[in-house]
Amino acid sequence: MNRRLTVLTLTAAAMLALSACSGDPNGGASGDGGSSDQTVAEACTQVNDVMTEATAGLQDIDPADPAGAASALRTISDGMGDAAASVTNAEVSDILPDLQTAFSSAADTMEAVAGGETERAAELNDSISDVQTSFQRFTELCGTE
């Protein structure tokens, strides 16, 4: 029962954090973020597409399936890595490593829990906090409606 509650809590927190990214990314600044020609709004839109896909994946997680939750979190982390490689706006690309690290950490912990290391479930609180902090930075820069 404890594992199920932990997975459900992580899933709910991640979905809440991700839903903050589903607004209009044009609400953020639209200036140039450095030497790139990509505007903040363009970069936010590009990352928002990754967030939309991630949200869809999280909605399908079975709270009784920590391995499935770990897989979904790993997919999000990988998506952040792909976005970081393709976003050229410095302001937005500076945020992406933190997002990737937060989701990667959550995925690592969920994989351990799924593998039977239930004592590591407490680490999810730190991962959730890191995800929320990173998303807050993203939404402050990119804006939402």
Side-chain angles (χ1 to χ4, degrees), residues 43-103:
C44 289
T45 297
Q46 189 172 343
V47 175
N48 194 49
D49 292 344
V50 172
M51 297 300 158
T52 300
E53 291 176 23
T55 302
L58 286 173
Q59 290 173 348
D60 294 334
I61 291 177
D62 177 358
D65 181 13
S71 178
L73 292 167
R74 182 69 60 205
T75 298
I76 295 168
S77 174
D78 292 347
M80 289 295 116
D82 293 343
S86 62
V87 168
T88 60
N89 180 278
E91 290 178 80
V92 177
S93 67
D94 286 348
I95 296 171
L96 297 179
D98 289 343
L99 281 167
Q100 181 180 20
T101 299
F103 277 109

